[in-house]
Amino acid sequence: MNRLEEPIILMADDDEDDCLMVRDALAEVHVSGGFSTVEDGEELMDLLHRRGRFKEAPRPGLILLDLNMPRKDGREALEEIKRDPDLRSIPVVVLTTSDSETDIKRCYELGGNAYIRKPATYEGLVEMMRAICTYWFQVVKLPPSG
């Protein structure tokens, strides 16, 4: 991967262990564009709008979004992101444990770019991160981050 063009990946997930494993998996597949985390949908929206402690936060190029988080869940955050003309071009990959057909359908209706069930093993996570990064950073052309 061309390290100079890799965007920042933002993970919105309240499970600290999941965030640490994704960070490690990204390092293992040599993604160096940057990785940051927020714990819930409220923090996600604050970061995307650069409010409060996120005033200097760079705009992410890809969001990994968990559905079940406190305060504002992933469904609410996804709807808000895709409704906002300044944010809707950021790809959002729903990364969750939910296998619910209702959740899958709803996330695509709200404009989610992909829906992926979290793998059961670390090795599966590494392969999934490799596939996600290959697709989003090598195959598709992302809009310029503004």
Side-chain angles (χ1 to χ4, degrees), residues 62-77:
L62 178 68
I63 298 170
L64 302 176
L65 181 65
D66 186 33
L67 291 182
N68 301 310
M69 298 181 290
R71 298 198 305 159
K72 181 180 287 192
D73 73 14
R75 294 161 202 83
E76 295 168 306

Side-chain angles (χ1 to χ4, degrees), residues 67 75-76 78-79 100-112 115:
L67 291 182
R75 294 161 202 83
E76 295 168 306
L78 177 60
E79 183 174 17
S100 160
E101 287 183 22
T102 303
D103 280 338
I104 295 167
K105 182 178 181 203
R106 183 74 179 134
C107 287
Y108 282 112
E109 287 172 348
L110 293 171
Y115 190 102

Side-chain angles (χ1 to χ4, degrees), residues 37-78:
T37 62
V38 291
E39 294 181 0
D40 59 50
E42 290 287 333
E43 284 190 355
L44 173 60
M45 298 315 299
D46 285 346
L47 185 145
L48 293 174
H49 290 293
R50 296 182 175 120
R51 297 185 292 236
R53 68 184 178 103
F54 299 107
K55 195 172 199 136
E56 301 296 319
R59 179 183 171 104
L62 178 68
I63 298 170
L64 302 176
L65 181 65
D66 186 33
L67 291 182
N68 301 310
M69 298 181 290
R71 298 198 305 159
K72 181 180 287 192
D73 73 14
R75 294 161 202 83
E76 295 168 306
L78 177 60

